[in-house]
Amino acid sequence: YIGIVKKRASIIFNHTARGKWKKITVFSDFYGREEGKDYFSVEITTQETHESILMDLRRDFESHASELNIFDEKPEFVGSLVTENAYPFYKAGIERNLEICREKLNAYGIDHIGRQGNFEYLFSSDAVIKARRLAETLCSSSNSGC
């Protein structure tokens, strides 16, 4: 999408009971605005990828975003992409296999950062709590403060 985001945030999560969209990532916050407009993606999780379903999801997002007054005007839709298997499912008891994978990555000098790097697939609210605790720990142990 291209438009003007009123709610200034690089990532906007949908924590409401309405709307099927999950999050908006405002890439122009990271890479710069073009002609005074933002460009962003909208993430929606679905197992149904028929064209009619995707169109319904698009309309649902646009309607809900309008109700929430996120944009100055209706954003311009520029295209979509379906990412198959974007969210992995882990079976119970896989923890030891994940630990072996982490050890192999450590042997290559690769650090595990964030939820994906640590194979932690949590609710977003849980991730925020963990991030705040980590920031508080880092701030309290740094000489410069935060």
Side-chain angles (χ1 to χ4, degrees):
Y1 281 94
I2 296 173
I4 299 174
V5 179
K6 287 170 85 171
K7 313 288 186 189
R8 294 314 312 163
S10 300
I11 298 177
I12 303 170
F13 291 97
N14 179 15
H15 290 293
T16 71
R18 285 222 344 93
K20 297 176 183 174
W21 62 280
K22 183 176 178 176
K23 77 177 178 181
I24 299 170
T25 303
V26 184
F27 292 104
S28 52
D29 279 359
F30 304 110
Y31 304 110
R33 296 176 95 196
E34 290 186 11
E35 299 178 12
K37 293 193 176 186
D38 296 299
Y39 50 98
F40 53 93
S41 67
V42 178
E43 187 174 317
I44 303 172
T45 304
T46 182
Q47 292 181 334
E48 299 295 326
T49 59
H50 297 91
E51 192 61 38
S52 62
I53 299 291
L54 298 179
M55 183 59 85
D56 288 343
L57 291 171
R58 175 182 159 196
R59 280 193 287 264
D60 179 79
F61 163 72
E62 291 173 359
S63 171
H64 190 234
S66 176
E67 291 171 21
L68 296 174
N69 200 24
I70 295 173
F71 306 104
D72 271 351
E73 56 190 39
K74 182 180 176 184
E76 176 188 352
F77 178 76
V78 295
S80 65
L81 175 71
V82 174
T83 305
E84 300 283 336
N85 304 314
Y87 295 94
F89 290 93
Y90 294 109
K91 296 179 182 177
I94 197 168
E95 291 84 5
R96 180 63 193 140
N97 287 342
L98 291 175
E99 189 57 37
I100 291 169
C101 289
R102 285 187 192 104
E103 290 169 3
K104 287 180 181 179
L105 292 171
N106 281 337
Y108 285 109
I110 297 173
D111 293 327
H112 310 285
I113 305 290
R115 289 188 293 166
Q116 284 86 5
N118 285 300
F119 301 97
E120 293 176 358
Y121 295 91
L122 310 169
F123 290 106
S124 296
S125 58
D126 292 340
V128 168
I129 290 167
K130 287 184 79 167
R132 283 186 179 152
R133 287 181 185 151
L134 176 60
E136 289 169 1
T137 301
L138 292 173
C139 287
S140 65
S141 65
S142 92
N143 292 332
S144 62
C146 292

